[in-house]
Amino acid sequence: MNYWPLLGVAAVVLGFALRLNPALVVVVAGFVTGLAAKLSPMDVLEVLGKAFTDKRFLLLFLLTLPVIGLLERHGLKEHAQAWIAKLRGATMGRLLIAYLLMRQLFSAMGLTSLGGHPQTVRPLLAPMAEGAAQVRHGELPEDERQRIRAMSAGTDNVGLFFGEDIFIAFGAVLLIQSFYAEHGIQLDALQIAFWGIPTAICAFAIHTVRILRFERRLAKRLSAAKPEAPPA
């Protein structure tokens, strides 16, 4: 069996570790995999072009942007922040952990459109996380707001990525099944999805720890930035 095409995985890991442009990383990884599989550069371009044209329907999420913009103009963010501020015991960490669990469960059932950056994170989750942190720590600096928004977006990514792998009709599961079938290994899609459950559980536990650590560090930074009270 030829293992050289797996160099594309290493290229993806290295590119993301160096924080390079994601689109550039994916294209380079595709070329690395294709050339390692003894494909010509034109064949690799043909595969990339076919994948792009076949998946153009993924750009339909752009239709939601005008709706989200209209809702934001009429105070959606402000209402979300005010609502979360009224809930007792609601902290930024608990909110993000609850959303992570919900995102994974719904993605595992194939309901991936119930969340997402344009329709959920930007207008709802991030403002609610900011509101919860603001109730607990007071007015937030702009850099801390940006960190909270980034953590909210990352939480959505983790929940979606590791949740949809459990759904048997997900494209990645079917791709794994077809890949093994081409190499003479017959696997059931349900079997592949089943073994995605331990990974999803580990991802939930690890990201939960990351959220709690982020919340503690946020509290330390904000408490250190507060001016000390003058002596009596």
Side-chain angles (χ1 to χ4, degrees), residues 89-213:
T91 65
M92 182 196 66
R94 294 173 183 174
L95 172 67
L96 293 180
I97 292 171
Y99 179 81
L100 174 63
L101 178 61
M102 180 199 72
R103 187 70 161 131
Q104 277 195 323
L105 292 177
F106 283 124
S107 298
M109 294 184 289
L111 304 175
T112 58
S113 299
L114 292 183
H117 291 195
Q119 66 268 34
T120 304
V121 175
R122 175 184 167 88
L124 290 175
L125 181 63
M128 290 171 68
E130 291 179 37
Q134 190 166 331
V135 169
R136 196 175 185 87
H137 305 290
E139 190 63 30
L140 301 174
E142 182 60 27
D143 57 342
E144 298 298 345
R145 291 184 181 274
Q146 295 297 333
R147 290 190 179 97
I148 294 175
R149 293 168 187 173
M151 178 56 74
S152 302
T155 301
D156 183 88
N157 289 344
V158 173
L160 173 64
F161 186 86
F162 292 99
E164 62 187 0
D165 287 338
I166 307 175
F167 185 54
I168 59 174
F170 177 54
V173 175
L174 301 179
L175 177 62
I176 295 172
Q177 183 186 27
S178 63
F179 174 81
Y180 278 105
E182 291 175 0
H183 292 78
I185 303 175
Q186 298 299 326
L187 293 177
D188 186 45
L190 182 61
Q191 185 181 10
I192 298 173
F194 175 78
W195 285 105
I197 296 177
T199 307
I201 294 175
C202 292
F204 177 81
I206 293 172
H207 195 65
T208 296
V209 174
R210 293 183 69 238
I211 292 173
L212 295 177
R213 289 183 61 191

Side-chain angles (χ1 to χ4, degrees), residues 16-83:
F16 287 163
L18 296 177
R19 298 186 178 183
L20 301 178
N21 186 283
L24 177 62
V25 171
V26 171
V27 173
V28 171
F31 271 96
V32 170
T33 301
L35 297 176
K38 299 181 180 180
L39 297 177
S40 67
M42 294 303 299
D43 291 336
V44 177
L45 286 175
E46 182 180 355
V47 172
L48 292 176
K50 184 177 184 302
F52 176 77
T53 54
D54 290 345
K55 304 299 181 183
R56 284 179 297 177
F57 67 90
L58 295 176
L59 296 178
L60 290 176
F61 79 91
L62 293 176
L63 299 177
T64 63
L65 298 182
V67 178
I68 298 301
L70 185 62
L71 292 174
E72 288 186 359
R73 184 170 182 176
H74 287 80
L76 178 62
K77 286 186 176 181
E78 290 74 12
H79 284 294
Q81 289 179 340
W83 178 75

